[in-house]
């Protein structure tokens, strides 16, 4: 079908003094990347935060089509598959940061979302919230001139202002999803980490429970408390997300995708996919590529 594969994009700071957080502008990354950088589907190994100040365009994140306009914020997490629309039509600020940028406590607080977290906040969503002020602080901190011998202090200021912004974004959610509820139990964090690492082979709650030394009942209870979904629903959501990514963006056969995702054969994978989505893998592939 001539489908281009998903292109992995690494976080490469423009200089050694940038550290793990880069604050830039949309014009800045356009100029640096060149006209072809933003044409193909990407999977980032870093988080991308975009604040639109002028213009409008569409941006797709894991099959969700977001209409961006002035005042909107977009947050693409590391590992998500996304596709830029008319990036040349937008002006605004950008923050890019690696997976270990935030302190452990803040990171744990933000990890309560299901596999497909919210990515887009409209200007209306953010009205009467501290998000615009937090954005201003991050941008101003990123623009501060570097002073010799004070790089560590500057990085600390960037990290704290970024953490405050991300927490305020999570608190301002209006989609009915769960809010951060305090520090997560270690076993829940371990389960989410193991799910991301092993979803291709471990499809049952019992697989994770046995490895972690807890009961399936405990994992289900913790999953429901923090996401509103059972542990099995989270596992299925993660498997299906990767299946949809590959069916939509990769030319591999359905049999090869089934094998990659740990199914015994293509028939079992097709039955599973149809039971979860009411579509066969082939029908989903056709629909997604015609969209």
């Amino acid at each position: 079908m001539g489908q281009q594969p998903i292109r992995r994009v690494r976080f490469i700071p423009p200089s050694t003094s940038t550290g793990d957080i880069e604050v830039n502008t949309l014009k800045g990354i356009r100029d640096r990347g060149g006209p072809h950088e933003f044409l193909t589907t990407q999977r980032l190994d870093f988080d991308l935060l975009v604040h639109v100040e002028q213009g409008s365009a569409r941006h797709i994140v894991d099959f969700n089509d977001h209409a961006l306009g002035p005042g909107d914020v977009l947050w693409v997490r590391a590992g998500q598959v996304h596709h830029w629309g008319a990036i040349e039509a937008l002006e605004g600020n950008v923050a890019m940061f690696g997976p270990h940028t935030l302190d452990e406590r803040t990171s744990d607080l933000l990890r309560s979302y299901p596999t497909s977290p919210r990515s887009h906040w409209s200007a209306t969503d953010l009205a009467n919230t501290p998000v615009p002020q937090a954005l201003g602080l991050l941008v101003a901190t990123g623009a501060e001139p570097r002073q010799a011998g004070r790089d560590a202090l500057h990085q600390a200021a960037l990290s704290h202002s970024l953490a405050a912004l991300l927490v305020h974004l999570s608190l301002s959610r209006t989609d009915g999803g769960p809010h951060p509820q305090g520090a997560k139990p270690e076993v829940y964090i371990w389960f989410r980490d193991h799910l991301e690492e092993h979803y291709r082979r471990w499809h049952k709650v019992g697989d994770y429970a046995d490895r972690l030394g807890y009961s399936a009942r405990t994992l289900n209870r913790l999953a429901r408390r923090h996401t509103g979904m059972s542990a099995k629903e989270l596992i299925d959501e993660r498997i299906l997300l990767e299946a949809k990514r590959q069916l939509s963006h990769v030319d591999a056969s359905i049999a090869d995708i089934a094998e990659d995702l740990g199914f015994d054969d293509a028939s079992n994978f097709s039955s599973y996919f149809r039971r979860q989505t009411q579509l066969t893998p082939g029908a989903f592939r056709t629909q997604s590529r015609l969209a």
Side-chain angles (χ1 to χ4, degrees):
M1 298 181 188
Q3 191 77 6
Q4 292 186 326
I6 301 167
R7 187 167 67 87
R8 300 196 70 93
V9 181
R10 297 171 53 209
F11 178 59
I12 304 176
S15 68
T16 56
S17 64
T18 300
D20 291 331
I21 305 171
E22 178 185 355
V23 180
N24 205 325
T25 63
L26 284 162
K27 182 181 185 304
I29 66 171
R30 285 198 305 267
D31 290 347
R32 188 168 77 201
H36 301 296
E37 173 69 19
F38 307 98
L39 299 180
T40 59
T41 301
Q42 302 175 341
R43 190 197 298 258
L44 309 179
D45 72 354
F46 56 92
D47 283 39
L48 168 73
L49 199 70
V50 177
H51 173 230
V52 180
E53 293 185 324
Q54 298 177 36
S56 60
R58 308 196 76 82
H59 197 117
I60 299 173
V61 183
D62 276 334
F63 310 102
N64 293 308
D65 190 344
H66 304 293
L68 303 182
D72 290 7
V73 171
L74 182 80
W75 181 4
V76 182
R77 275 75 165 184
Q80 289 189 302
V81 171
H82 80 120
H83 193 98
W84 292 91
I87 185 175
E88 68 279 359
L90 299 174
E91 299 300 339
N93 300 298
V94 176
M96 295 171 282
F97 48 99
H100 305 297
T101 302
L102 302 179
D103 64 275
E104 185 175 351
R105 183 172 181 274
T106 302
S107 180
D108 289 348
L109 283 168
L110 295 174
R111 291 167 70 185
S112 62
Y113 48 75
T115 303
S116 300
R118 186 179 186 185
S119 296
H120 176 227
W121 287 259
S122 70
T124 302
D125 294 334
L126 301 177
N128 303 314
T129 76
V131 169
Q133 289 79 11
L135 274 164
L137 176 61
L138 177 64
V139 172
T141 304
E144 283 183 339
R146 302 300 176 94
Q147 299 181 35
R150 305 187 71 179
D151 276 353
L153 282 173
H154 188 264
Q155 289 299 318
L158 274 176
S159 180
H160 286 299
S161 58
L162 176 64
L165 171 58
L166 299 182
V167 170
H168 282 306
L169 274 175
S170 296
L171 288 171
S172 68
R173 62 186 303 162
T174 58
D175 57 356
H179 290 269
Q181 300 176 15
K184 306 293 179 292
E186 278 191 330
V187 63
Y188 172 76
I189 297 170
W190 294 340
F191 168 61
R192 294 306 299 263
D193 289 344
H194 277 65
L195 173 57
E196 188 59 32
E197 184 177 355
H198 298 291
Y199 69 88
R200 283 182 163 88
R201 293 292 176 265
W202 298 355
H203 295 179
K204 298 177 181 178
V205 179
D207 296 331
Y208 298 88
D210 291 345
R211 173 58 66 92
L212 295 173
Y214 288 82
S215 68
R217 183 176 181 179
T218 295
L219 295 187
N220 276 309
R221 175 174 53 81
L222 291 172
R224 288 195 182 280
R225 179 190 301 172
H226 296 293
T227 70
M229 301 169 68
S230 70
K232 183 62 169 75
E233 287 172 331
L234 289 175
I235 294 168
D236 288 338
E237 183 185 49
R238 186 63 186 90
I239 295 168
L240 286 169
L241 176 58
E242 192 61 31
K244 290 176 178 179
R245 287 169 172 171
Q246 295 196 35
L247 288 166
S248 180
H249 301 294
V250 179
D251 277 340
S253 69
I254 291 172
D256 286 344
I257 294 173
E259 181 179 2
D260 180 64
L261 293 176
F263 290 86
D264 294 336
D265 54 47
S267 177
N268 286 339
F269 169 65
S270 294
S271 297
Y272 171 86
F273 191 89
R274 185 169 188 171
R275 186 165 61 251
Q276 298 289 336
T277 67
Q278 288 72 57
L279 289 171
T280 66
F284 176 84
R285 170 172 270 173
T286 299
Q287 283 190 12
S288 66
R289 296 189 178 186
L290 290 175

